[in-house]
Amino acid sequence: MMTTTPTALANKRLAVLISGGGSNLKAIHHAIENGLLTDAEIVLVVSDKPTAKGLEWAFTQGLKTALISPALCKEAEVSFEAVLLDALLEHQVDVIVLAGFLRIFKAEVLTAFAGKIVNIHPSLLPAYGGKGMYGAFVHEAVLANQEAHTGCTVHLVTADVDEGEVLGQAKVPVLPNDTVETLAQRVLEQEHRLYAEVLQRWLPTI
Ligand code: GRF
């Protein structure tokens, strides 16, 4: 009699790319540790900034980390993208998760990981997206326009900044006394929930 052994589904291997605090990285890590995000593992955390607090945190968690300095790449006359792709290949990365990563990718990365790069943006795209719309600038613009709502969006990354397919959104009300800081904080809380939720739904489809 023939018996078949069920083949275990391999975890999706995530590289999380950051430039700053890394609170979304922490939220994704937390979701994995607590079984809210399954069949996924963070195999590499990359920062383009030595000062990124999230990089230090990742190191203390025992995650593999890489600092790829654009300045050092320039000095060594190698492209940032080539060094990044080498690191992604070495760690057999399936998916690039951008979490506050401030560089815009060149074609070689977009081509190598077509349909497998996601980003989180602190607005309800297509509103308040595009070049120059990041961080406090987004929330400043939302407040200046007296919007009743804002929110966050997880989307695929393509050559057109913030224009890839939307995978999920969360709405956040703008309150009468909101400042850039209070609004950013409430949006960030939703980002943490949304990112893991979208990854859990989307990763099995790729
Ligand atoms: C978040 O607001 C995210 O939407 C944007 O950059 C910020 C990153 O925050 N892309 P953190 O580093 O994850 O705390």
Side-chain angles (χ1 to χ4, degrees):
M1 193 176 82
M2 290 255 301
T3 54
T4 50
T5 330
T7 40
L9 272 183
N11 279 346
K12 290 276 162 40
R13 299 173 63 82
L14 315 182
V16 182
L17 274 56
I18 61 169
S19 298
S23 70
N24 279 288
L25 159 68
K26 288 180 196 170
I28 293 166
H29 182 256
H30 184 264
I32 293 174
E33 295 287 295
N34 290 282
L36 298 169
L37 175 53
T38 55
D39 306 316
E41 61 185 305
I42 299 173
V43 295
L44 185 64
V45 175
V46 177
S47 171
D48 62 338
K49 297 223 174 358
T51 49
K53 288 268 182 290
L55 192 65
E56 204 179 304
W57 176 85
F59 187 76
T60 65
Q61 298 300 305
L63 294 170
K64 293 243 168 69
T65 54
L67 167 65
I68 306 179
S69 151
L72 288 183
C73 288
K74 201 168 170 196
E75 222 173 280
E77 296 181 5
V78 286
S79 86
F80 178 90
E81 284 73 18
V83 177
L84 174 64
L85 282 174
D86 271 356
L88 299 176
L89 198 68
E90 188 192 328
H91 292 89
Q92 302 175 322
V93 167
D94 299 312
V95 175
I96 301 177
V97 177
L98 303 182
F101 185 68
L102 290 178
R103 279 179 78 82
I104 294 172
F105 280 145
K106 296 212 176 106
E108 51 206 291
V109 180
L110 295 173
T111 306
F113 281 85
K116 294 183 176 175
I117 309 177
V118 277
N119 182 40
I120 189 152
H121 185 82
S123 76
L124 293 172
L125 290 175
Y128 304 101
K131 277 190 187 157
M133 267 296 164
Y134 62 89
F137 297 118
V138 175
H139 306 299
E140 263 163 31
V142 166
L143 289 175
N145 289 337
Q146 303 185 324
E147 299 284 3
H149 287 95
T150 182
C152 48
T153 304
V154 176
H155 64 96
L156 290 180
V157 173
T158 61
D160 302 309
V161 178
D162 295 333
E163 287 187 16
E165 183 191 337
V166 169
L167 300 176
Q169 291 188 313
K171 219 168 164 183
V172 174
V174 179
L175 303 179
N177 294 326
D178 260 333
T179 61
V180 167
E181 290 73 27
T182 59
L183 189 55
Q185 184 51 39
R186 286 207 323 287
V187 170
L188 203 54
E189 278 163 24
Q190 290 306 311
E191 290 184 33
H192 297 159
R193 188 187 53 75
L194 180 71
Y195 220 165
E197 209 176 281
V198 169
L199 288 172
Q200 174 69 5
R201 184 162 37 80
W202 174 71
L203 287 175
T205 70
I206 56 163

